[in-house]
Amino acid sequence: MAAALKPMERAALIVARGSSDSSLKRTRGGFCSTKQPSRVFSRRVMNWLYERALLDFDDPDCPGKATLTARGEAEADALVAQGLSKAGLA
């Protein structure tokens, strides 16, 4: 499934997985991790991941937090493993 993901979707999954609770918090500029507040993702990117069932919103109408589903965590882990493999570190 990773090949079908857009680059921003892949980045959002990896950043969310790197946070302590596998989630991104909504801010004025978009969704970001508390560990990487400079990486901000738009609501559109979050909606794409929501439609793919890779994350859930705490409130679908006005979300304050987007948390990876089990499927989203597995996809993020696969993306990280793929990156490590390409870099020759795994």
Side-chain angles (χ1 to χ4, degrees):
M1 179 175 179
L5 292 173
K6 295 173 179 70
M8 289 303 291
E9 290 176 302
R10 290 193 296 267
L13 285 174
I14 292 168
V15 169
R17 187 64 173 133
S19 71
S20 58
D21 59 353
S22 294
S23 68
L24 299 174
K25 180 181 162 188
R26 187 174 192 168
T27 64
R28 287 172 53 176
F31 288 83
C32 68
S33 167
T34 55
K35 287 186 175 182
Q36 289 184 311
S38 62
R39 291 298 315 255
V40 180
F41 302 97
S42 69
R43 173 69 191 261
R44 180 178 290 182
V45 172
M46 296 293 104
N47 285 343
W48 291 337
L49 294 171
Y50 180 75
E51 290 168 3
R52 293 176 188 266
L54 296 174
L55 64 78
D56 278 328
F57 293 124
D58 58 348
D59 178 0
D61 294 326
C62 186
K65 188 176 181 181
T67 305
L68 294 180
T69 61
R71 183 176 165 197
E73 288 180 352
E75 186 67 30
D77 291 342
L79 289 169
V80 169
Q82 180 183 15
L84 290 172
S85 176
K86 282 185 180 178
L89 300 172

